[in-house]
Amino acid sequence: MTAMMEQQEPKEPKMEQGKDQDRQQNSGHITFKSILGGDILAHDFLKRQTNLLILIVLLTILYIDNRYASQQELIEIDRLKKELIDTKYDALTISSELTERSRQSRIEEYIATEGTPLQIAATPPYLIKEKKEDK
């Protein structure tokens, strides 16, 4: 029985030594090799700061999303401004056409070509005023 205990005792210190080496590796300096090998993910610092790193990633994603959304709104605003300018020009064109068509000379020309019995008034129009009654 003592032989069995002697055999088990050396194994435990070797396991403890392996754990100590892992702790030293985890708490040691970060090297380029540990970054490329993925050992950095098992580093104590990263284990302790996992929540902070997740928060930073989430905030970064929200920042990128917000920037993208604001750029899309600016593009929409520019498009609407161009559409507004085009609509104003169309309204100005239509207004000038209406003014041209409603001139007295154009109306007289239209009446003459259509052969309607309408004639131009020989006397100018006058305003009829109502009398105010005193109460």
Side-chain angles (χ1 to χ4, degrees):
M1 221 164 150
T2 56
M4 287 181 164
M5 291 182 104
E6 288 176 10
Q7 289 176 356
Q8 289 177 357
E9 286 178 14
K11 288 182 183 178
E12 290 178 2
K14 286 183 183 178
M15 289 181 154
E16 288 179 14
Q17 287 176 357
K19 289 180 184 178
D20 288 340
Q21 287 176 353
D22 287 342
R23 287 182 192 151
Q24 288 175 357
Q25 287 177 354
N26 287 342
S27 65
H29 295 290
I30 298 173
T31 62
F32 188 68
K33 182 180 177 184
S34 69
I35 293 172
L36 290 179
D39 296 335
I40 193 169
L41 297 175
H43 198 271
D44 284 340
F45 175 75
L46 290 177
K47 286 181 182 177
R48 284 181 282 146
Q49 302 300 328
T50 303
N51 292 337
L52 178 63
L53 293 174
I54 291 171
L55 178 65
I56 290 172
V57 168
L58 285 174
L59 290 176
T60 304
I61 291 170
L62 288 174
Y63 175 76
I64 292 169
D65 180 58
N66 187 28
R67 183 175 175 99
Y68 177 76
S70 65
Q71 285 178 342
Q72 292 300 319
E73 287 178 1
L74 288 175
I75 290 169
E76 181 70 12
I77 288 170
D78 288 341
R79 186 188 65 78
L80 290 173
K81 282 182 180 178
K82 288 178 184 176
E83 187 179 329
L84 177 64
I85 290 171
D86 290 343
T87 305
K88 283 183 179 180
Y89 286 142
D90 289 343
L92 182 62
T93 304
I94 292 170
S95 174
S96 65
E97 287 177 5
L98 178 63
T99 303
E100 175 66 27
R101 290 181 182 179
S102 64
R103 286 193 179 157
Q104 186 174 356
S105 59
R106 295 284 281 177
I107 293 173
E108 289 172 1
E109 185 181 308
Y110 178 75
I111 290 172
T113 58
E114 292 294 317
T116 59
L118 296 175
Q119 295 179 353
I120 300 171
T123 60
Y126 56 92
L127 183 62
I128 301 174
K129 293 184 179 178
E130 293 182 27
K131 277 188 165 180
K132 291 184 180 179
E133 294 180 21
D134 294 331
K135 290 185 180 181

